[in-house]
Amino acid sequence: MFIDIPTALEDALIGLPLPTWKLDGSFLAQSTMERYRSELAATPQLEETATTLRHALTEEGGGYAVLRLGNLAKALSADDDRFLRLATAFAAEVAIPFSPFPRWPLWKDIGVKVDKDPGKSSGIGYNAFHMDLVNGSLPPDYTTLLCVRPDPLGGGPSILSDPHAAVARLSENSRALLAEPAYHYGTFFDLNGVGEECKPFPVLDGSDPGGFVRFTAKMLKRSELSRAHAEAARELAEELVRGQVSFMLQPGDYLIVNQRRLLHGREALHSGQQAVPVADRRLLLQLFLRAGASSGPAA
C-alpha cells in the first residue's frame, strides 16, 4: 500500500510548528505524542490519511504501508529535524515510537559500509528475510524505514513476505520442527523495551494465531542448528522468497512494516558501491514502534 499525501495536507504540514521530541526512557514521551497529535489534528485530511495508514497495517491481507513524503522531504530536506518530527508524528498515529538501543538516538542511521558483512543492514549484499530483534521476548510490533537516499546506482529494492502464508505451504513435519525451541540468533545486550532474551526460541509459537513468526534467514549461516531444524528453516526461507513482493523506496518514502504480519529484507545493492562517495550512498533512517498504551515505558 502506497499512500500519497494530499496536496492540502502537504501544504499545511510544511509550516507545522512541531516541537523537538522528548523521550521517557526509550519511548517517545506521552506529552510529545499528545502535542504532535494535537498539531496534526488541525491539518486538513489528516484523519483520512491516518485511517488509511492504520488500515493498511492491520487489516486482513495488509501489513505494510509506504507513506509518500517525498514532497515534504524536498521542501524541508529529508534529514532536517523538522522533517524527522513530521515522520515521527505520523509514526505516533500508528503506535508508540521508541529506540531499543540506548547508544543510538530515536532514529538510527542505516548507511552503506563497503567493508561490513554484506548480509547486514548496512552491507552491500542481499539482506535476507528477517524480523528485527528476533531474539527478544517482546520484539517491536512495527519496524519502520525512512528513505533519505536510495542507492544512486539503482540497486537495493525492499522485499516483504507473509510468513504465515509461507508456513501454511510447508509440510506438517517442517511446521512441527519450527515449533520447537531449537533456534537462536544474534547477541542480546544493552537493549531496552524488548523484554528478555529468548535463547533458544521457536520460530512458531503456536499460542497466538496473530503472533510473530520468529524468523531470520541469517541464522542459517550464522547459527549452529541441527540438520533437521536447519532444513525446516531453509524450506521456510524458500517459501518466503516465493511469496515476496519488492519495490524501490524513493527519497522521502516512509516504509512501516507490521512485524506480526510480514518479514522484510533487501535485495543487494548495485555493484560498484566502492566508487560512490560516502555522502552519496544509500541512507535509511530506522525507527521502531510499540503497539498499545500498555507497552510504553512501564513495559
Side-chain angles (χ1 to χ4, degrees), residues 30-67:
Q30 185 67 28
S31 60
T32 297
M33 292 186 65
E34 290 174 356
R35 174 70 183 275
Y36 283 6
R37 287 171 176 168
S38 175
E39 294 287 352
L40 287 186
T43 58
Q45 297 180 273
L46 183 280
E47 186 52 41
E48 298 94 324
T49 303
T51 298
T52 299
L53 173 61
R54 289 189 287 265
H55 285 176
L57 294 169
T58 60
E59 285 192 337
E60 188 70 26
Y64 82 96
V66 178
L67 276 174

Side-chain angles (χ1 to χ4, degrees), residues 24-129:
D24 183 357
S26 297
F27 290 78
L28 192 67
Q30 185 67 28
S31 60
T32 297
M33 292 186 65
E34 290 174 356
R35 174 70 183 275
Y36 283 6
R37 287 171 176 168
S38 175
E39 294 287 352
L40 287 186
T43 58
Q45 297 180 273
L46 183 280
E47 186 52 41
E48 298 94 324
T49 303
T51 298
T52 299
L53 173 61
R54 289 189 287 265
H55 285 176
L57 294 169
T58 60
E59 285 192 337
E60 188 70 26
Y64 82 96
V66 178
L67 276 174
R68 312 306 297 266
L69 304 179
N71 290 337
L72 292 170
K74 289 179 182 177
L76 300 175
S77 181
D79 56 357
D80 184 272
D81 285 347
R82 290 179 299 163
F83 179 66
L84 288 184
R85 290 173 203 164
L86 285 174
T88 304
F90 271 112
E93 291 289 323
V94 174
I96 305 170
F98 79 106
S99 171
F101 310 110
R103 61 192 180 278
W104 293 98
L106 185 64
W107 289 86
K108 176 187 175 184
D109 286 13
I110 300 180
V112 174
K113 299 177 181 177
V114 296
D115 56 349
K116 190 90 170 181
D117 180 339
K120 295 285 189 179
S121 58
S122 57
I124 62 176
Y126 174 64
N127 190 8
F129 280 113

